[in-house]
Amino acid sequence: METITAIGFIFGLSVVLALVLAVANAKLKVFEDPRIDAVEEALPGANCGACGAAGCRSFADSVVKGEIEPSRCTVGGTATAEFIANYLGIDAGSAEKKVARLLCAGGSDVASQAAAYEGFSSCRSAAAVTGGPKGCAFGCIGLSDCEEVCGFGAIQMAPNGLPVVDVSKCTACGDCVTVCPKKLFEIMPLSRHLIVQCKSLLAGEEAEALCSVACTACGRCVADAPTGLLEMKNNLPALDIKKLDLQTSIATFRCPTSAIVWIEAQQFPELYDDL
Amino acid sequence: MSASAMIEKVKTFRHGIHPAEFKDYTKNLPIERIPFTNEYVLPLSQHLGGPSRAVVKPGDKVYRGQLIAEASGFVSATLHASVTGKVKAIESRNHPSGNLVKSIIIERDPYSPQTLHNERKIDWEKISPKEALREIQMGGFVGLGGAAFPTHVKLAVPPGKKARFFIINAAECEPYLTTDHRMMLEQADSMLLGIRISMKILGAEKAYIGIETNKPDAIEYLRQVIPSDMACEVAPVQTKYPQGAEKMLITAILKRDVPSGKLPIDAEVVVHNVGTLVGIGDLFKHGKPLIERVVTITGPGIHRPANLMIPLGMKLNQVLDYCGGLKENTRQLLFGGPMMGAPQSFLDVPIMKGTSGIVALTDKEVFPRKERACIRCSRCIDACPVFLNPSRLGSFARVKRYEEMMDFHLMDCIECASCSYVCPSSIPLVQRFRVAKGMLREKQARERAGKKS
């Protein structure tokens, strides 16, 4: 008899609880667009945050809501963007490929060393104690903070202590931009070929004494480039990105230190080939 | 006083370390005045806070003690010419931080007697505390212990808060340095005047001079010279690093804790360094603003160690030349002490307001150490004066999980380097914490900027 009571009690209890759950399911239901799951599935799942969203799920949510274009996911590239755009029946948006460029060419072979740094091997740590061992206060320290932070294995240190960004692997997530204590990385469209590989605010002999590939602010590139493309600002030529169509390699011909260069796709091609 | 009574009186904080002192190089050498040199470099950013704004132009004649740059805000400081001469240029020069910083370059007038511009005596008893504070602000005073925080900001008690106690930080816990020690023995009258004025401004009830027991002559001498009408007491503290850290000294002397993320004023205390008070005393005695400071030049790499009175802006190599130059096996030059000082990579950097010492270390003291795995010995935990877990924080930092370090109170770290000092595996703990703090601060700044836009 007791057995039957127990079974009956448990049965009754489960029926009551099942009813509560059924009601709750109906009343408290949160509708979630099933397309968010589908879009998230199509994304690379790197959760890198390069798009500006907190992660891939949050990006998918924004895409479905139409707040952000699918092409903003730089990691997935055009194929992913088109797939998502097709699926949602929207425009993929026209985002050209962007990559991180290093604005310093002062490897240990051309830049002067002011001191030997023997402390904790990290650019940030070296920059905090004495600005780094290099003579130039603006140049690359070369202790590979960017190589470590890159989640895509796109950065490799060359023998001369400069990080080389592999254009095919770089997703323009911007992690290297944030970690560099000297702020030497910049995200640029791949279509930009004219780049000043120097951030030294010094001019003339002062700059050249510290590094043989420094920009000396002589202004020849500005004079040779089409009007308005380049402008001398703080002893460095600044490119007007709106006039990018005008870019020409003529601007680099008379540069005495090769600080301004024309890059087809890969930056530091010789270093890249050796890696 | 018997030995046992002495031990009972010694105050201290918990944890900390006992590095060798190396103060014998200079502790018995009187302060010397270094001869003037020809060129002085005065960076516009020598203090915490906004950089100063130059009020002179290239070509202007300036007099020793004349204002050459004004403060750019409340948390900023004025700057005065440390020598009579001509402004040669205002340009970017090498700075001890490793960056190029805009500096005023003054060329000395070789025929000038270098007397003080506008020498005067300020009667501190007649003027109001507000006026006295204004004088200190205009004198360009910053904390001379090393952090270079503007003095007038610390002396201005915010409304609703009280500064009941005033502590004079004379612990000088960094090895090698002896500037505070020598100043207490040689310039006690200026220091006592500085204490009186500061106490008047703060409205403090009582002052304590916290001196480590490794300076018994200073303890005894000050006990003799402090007038009986002054509510000032010498408080001997144990010789232990980092006894001279503001929060440690407050805990040791008053048994009060400064709450996490708060300032000493929240514990009703204000702390100033000996050098700062001597400077304030001299300001009211002769009208001399902060144009020179005492620097200990010491270490095994120096031929002739000395305690020198150096005009601000003198270049490092000129100071080293005066001390007989560096020995050949010198490997590292530090501004500040060996625990928290900043190594220098250029020899033409100027002596600044916050430069308490120049320490030259040789191959014997400095050599690269290989990092090994943490063996969980917990020596860093026993050393940390603010009761953090450096071992745990270190393992988070190694894999760059900086956000999680916040949960372990990373921001309370005072960067004293005790953990790195005791680590038998040579793990660069404090170095990693500094990197982590920098990354987190930048991230917060980015988030704030993002919210605004």
Side-chain angles (χ1 to χ4, degrees), chain A residues 200-211 214 216 235, chain B residues 91-93:
Chain A
S200 170
L201 299 180
L202 295 170
E205 282 170 12
E206 263 187 343
E208 215 182 333
L210 297 172
C211 175
T216 59
N235 289 334
Chain B
E91 59 185 27
S92 296
R93 287 288 181 102

Side-chain angles (χ1 to χ4, degrees), chain A residues 114-115 118 120 122 124-125 127-138 145 148-149 178-179 182-183 202 206, chain B residues 91-92 94 96-100 331 342-346 366-369 371 400 428 431-432 434-435 438-439 442 446:
Chain A
E118 293 172 338
F120 171 40
S122 146
R124 286 230 156 217
S125 188
V129 286
T130 171
K134 276 211 174 115
C136 173
F138 308 96
D145 276 12
E148 275 171 42
V149 81
T178 345
V179 81
K182 302 280 182 183
K183 300 277 162 266
L202 295 170
E206 263 187 343
Chain B
E91 59 185 27
S92 296
N94 283 331
S97 71
N99 299 318
L100 288 170
R331 190 152 179 160
Q344 296 302 312
S345 38
F346 297 97
V366 192
F367 44 87
R369 288 173 170 82
E371 181 183 346
K400 307 197 162 40
Q431 293 88 331
R432 287 214 170 104
R434 287 178 70 171
V435 169
M439 292 291 281
E442 278 181 29
R446 270 199 306 279

Side-chain angles (χ1 to χ4, degrees), chain B residues 142-148 177 180 273 275-276 293 353-354 356:
Chain B
V142 301
L144 296 188
L177 306 185
D180 293 351
N273 174 264
T276 316
R293 66 155 300 149
K353 290 179 180 177
S356 49

Side-chain angles (χ1 to χ4, degrees), chain B residues 122-417:
Chain B
I122 306 164
D123 196 346
W124 66 278
E125 274 166 296
K126 290 231 177 79
I127 61 176
S128 72
K130 244 193 177 142
E131 285 166 320
L133 185 64
R134 177 88 193 135
E135 290 287 351
I136 292 171
Q137 186 172 2
M138 286 315 292
F141 284 92
V142 301
L144 296 188
F149 190 76
T151 302
H152 64 268
V153 182
K154 271 194 186 172
L155 282 176
V157 182
K161 294 192 179 157
K162 248 183 3 187
R164 284 180 56 204
F165 304 103
F166 183 50
I167 292 181
I168 294 87
N169 187 347
E172 200 155 53
C173 60
E174 276 269 5
Y176 290 103
L177 306 185
T178 55
T179 55
D180 293 351
H181 186 183
R182 289 315 306 178
M183 271 189 275
M184 281 188 284
L185 292 177
E186 295 176 36
Q187 303 173 353
D189 53 337
S190 289
M191 179 175 96
L192 292 176
L193 179 62
I195 295 172
R196 275 185 198 272
I197 295 163
S198 303
M199 285 179 78
K200 178 177 168 181
I201 294 171
L202 291 168
E205 294 165 15
K206 176 119 205 213
Y208 296 90
I209 307 177
I211 310 176
E212 276 191 354
T213 45
N214 61 356
K215 296 177 261 295
D217 48 347
I219 296 175
E220 203 174 317
Y221 176 66
L222 284 179
R223 281 198 168 136
Q224 283 167 14
V225 297
I226 293 173
S228 52
D229 68 318
M230 228 175 132
C232 180
E233 187 186 300
V234 175
V237 288
Q238 195 195 349
T239 306
K240 180 157 89 169
Y241 182 85
Q243 190 71 262
E246 208 167 54
K247 290 177 184 175
M248 301 306 106
L249 202 58
I250 294 170
T251 312
I253 294 177
L254 295 172
K255 301 272 166 265
R256 286 176 174 225
D257 279 330
V258 179
S260 163
K262 293 281 174 69
L263 296 168
I265 191 73
D266 295 298
E268 304 182 318
V269 196
V270 170
V271 183
H272 275 313
N273 174 264
V274 173
T276 316
L277 292 164
V278 170
I280 293 174
D282 282 347
L283 171 75
F284 284 81
K285 267 189 192 165
H286 318 291
K288 184 179 88 175
L290 186 56
I291 53 169
E292 51 191 13
R293 66 155 300 149
V294 180
V295 184
T296 306
I297 292 90
T298 179
I302 296 274
H303 276 292
R304 193 173 68 81
N307 294 302
L308 297 178
M309 177 67 101
I310 303 180
L312 299 178
M314 186 175 275
K315 288 181 202 159
L316 173 58
N317 49 9
Q318 290 167 336
V319 176
L320 292 176
D321 284 348
Y322 181 75
C323 292
L326 292 173
K327 287 187 190 158
E328 253 181 33
N329 58 347
T330 302
R331 190 152 179 160
Q332 192 176 48
L333 260 177
L334 291 159
F335 265 20
M339 295 301 295
M340 287 188 77
Q344 296 302 312
S345 38
F346 297 97
L347 287 176
D348 62 344
V349 290
I351 304 299
M352 300 200 305
K353 290 179 180 177
T355 313
S356 49
I358 299 168
V359 181
L361 300 175
T362 63
D363 296 334
K364 276 199 198 104
E365 295 82 27
V366 192
F367 44 87
R369 288 173 170 82
K370 191 173 175 288
E371 181 183 346
R372 290 164 204 278
C374 172
I375 55 167
R376 325 244 168 229
C377 65
S378 83
R379 282 195 211 171
C380 53
I381 297 173
D382 291 339
C384 183
V386 286
F387 295 87
L388 302 181
N389 183 340
S391 155
R392 189 65 168 280
L393 285 167
S395 44
F396 275 126
R398 197 167 54 83
V399 293
K400 307 197 162 40
R401 279 158 68 175
Y402 300 139
E403 306 275 281
E404 282 149 278
M405 293 172 78
M406 298 277 265
D407 302 337
F408 289 86
H409 308 285
L410 172 68
M411 290 309 183
D412 287 333
C413 169
I414 57 168
E415 301 177 24
C416 67

Side-chain angles (χ1 to χ4, degrees), chain B residues 24-80:
Chain B
D24 292 341
Y25 284 105
T26 51
K27 72 174 185 191
N28 293 323
L29 300 175
I31 299 167
E32 293 172 62
R33 182 172 282 280
I34 195 167
F36 284 100
T37 53
N38 284 330
E39 196 184 78
Y40 288 79
V41 178
L42 293 149
L44 289 174
S45 173
Q46 308 198 12
H47 48 261
L48 282 182
S52 323
R53 257 195 309 263
V55 293
V56 288
K57 309 183 290 300
D60 283 0
K61 186 156 173 57
V62 290
Y63 296 90
R64 183 164 172 257
Q66 181 192 331
L67 184 82
I68 54 171
E70 57 184 15
S72 62
F74 183 61
V75 187
S76 181
T78 58
L79 190 59
H80 300 77

Side-chain angles (χ1 to χ4, degrees), chain A residues 241-263:
Chain A
I241 200 76
K242 284 185 216 116
K243 296 184 178 160
L244 197 61
D245 295 343
L246 294 176
Q247 63 178 338
T248 154
S249 56
I250 293 171
T252 66
F253 291 173
R254 284 204 297 146
C255 179
T257 55
S258 316
I260 185 163
V261 288
W262 182 266
I263 292 171

